[in-house]
Amino acid sequence: MNAYTFNISLSILNHLGRNLYRSFITVLGEAISNAWDADAQNVRITIDRDKNMLIIEDDGRGMTDDDFQNKFLKIGYSKRKDNVSATENGRPFIGRKGIGKLALLSCAKRITVLTKTVNTDLVGGIIDNSGLDEAIKDDVSTNEYKLGVPDVSIVERFGKDMVSGTVILFEEINDGIRNRIEYIRKLVALYFRFSLLDPAFRIFLNGSQITLDELTDLINGTQFLWKIDNPNDPYISEKLQRSEALKKQRDLQAGTDAISGFIASVEKPSMLKIRESEEKVSIDLYVNGRLREKNILKHIPTTRIVESYLYGQIHYNALDDENDRFTSSREGVVSDDPKFVAFLKEIEELLKIIIDDWDKWRTELNQDGDSENKRISRKERKSRELFSAVSDDFVPPKTNAPSRKKVEEWINDLGQDAEFNFASYGECFVAENLLRKYIEDKKIPIPAKMQKQIEDWMQKAEMHKNKANISFDIRENTTELSYCAMDDLAYLADDETDKDKKASLRRDAIEYKPIRDAMSHTSRLTNAAKIRLTATYENIKARIIQLLNNA
């Protein structure tokens, strides 16, 4: 084989930053992207953690001797030269600036590249990074630093049956291969969605094809789905929409037809974390099938709780035009690019709809929603949350238990009444105890007739307590007032006796009592009773506030 040289000054190569790509997944992504651009149908990744070795093989078009020297080894060579933006098979090019290969050339101590086309012989070379470091240090010229010649055994091993394609062998990976195979499979399934553009493009890891089945945990945790511009995505059609975990979905349309994809939410934020890693699934931007910006929500100024539940993939191929708006690391978009800023505004508008949907759908399922959403009052929301927390204990734990669905239906049927009763009981508890405090503070005497009635209640309470074999105190406060209900407390607290001329707490309390008693005994109230109780309580509350202001 010929001896090859880098087609760039070695000092510039170093200044560009050979360690720009620090993620092992980024290195895989660059190799997979190159295979895509080479019209490969299969990418085979082999990881040997014990030997700290990585092998990436593809069956693409491969490179000639001239291609390898003047394209692959030319840092900055663009595949889109002469306004060509797609491969011979019509795939849109993913590579752009030609510096992405720095990820491949600097992630291990020793990298061997072998490649051939259908009509040419195998060519290639070895990049020894320790030798390259010395050459850069000694300011060796490009022509003086030559790539090593691959070992005969390696050439025979990989070149024997190769028709066309490229093999890259990484030895002594920097910092080792720390990620578990299962973790790598999941990240590849998540982030390299080339199958959306060409189902024939397949990725294998250690002999097994990576499929959407890697994402089963995420699918089973997904609760809601918003589709944008009806995306053609097998993750949605073959997985999410067939999942029993999916409860609600909605079709959305962005302001521009160029934006498509989906946003989904999981039942619990912890379900977005990829097991045994620090990685978290987010809403990511894709351009021509390649991940270009992770977690686009970091660019949108909102701190709503729903964000911690969301993930998705947004496709916006219009970002790939004559202007290069991607960062030099190729791992993000230039944040102030006008087209990107306009895109984020479109997503922000969609998020407003999603935030409202999420809150509504969560509360319908008796789960905590968005506490900052003003769609319902704070009191109603807290009442719903309390009902959800209480009712959860009664649902059979097993999803497939025959009784689970029936019990869930019963609980859902109670939801609206429970929301009203929980809030009403809370109002009653606060109002009556504040009246007790007010009466005590004002030292209002208890009339003899009421005193006799209270003594009867106390005796009955003691009798029931003895029958129940209870020896401890039940009431925190055992004074006479603790045995009085709203009508008695109102009689003591409000001495307004001119019923015909002035509003009276006493009159409202009499009207309030029968409905309050029914509610306190956990009865479900009729709509008429709810309306009357609500209106009467508003009167009571207003009068108590007047009394407290004069306390």
Side-chain angles (χ1 to χ4, degrees), residues 1 147-148 215 233 251 420 440 449:
M1 288 188 180
L147 272 63
L215 307 178
D233 189 337
D251 292 321
F420 181 88
E440 289 173 352
K449 185 178 178 181

Side-chain angles (χ1 to χ4, degrees), residues 15 152 229 232 302 308 330 351 378 408 430 451 488 520:
H15 287 304
V152 174
D229 194 25
N232 179 22
T302 174
S308 60
R330 324 313 286 154
L351 277 175
R378 181 168 172 264
E408 285 179 336
V430 172
Q451 186 75 46
D488 301 301
S520 296

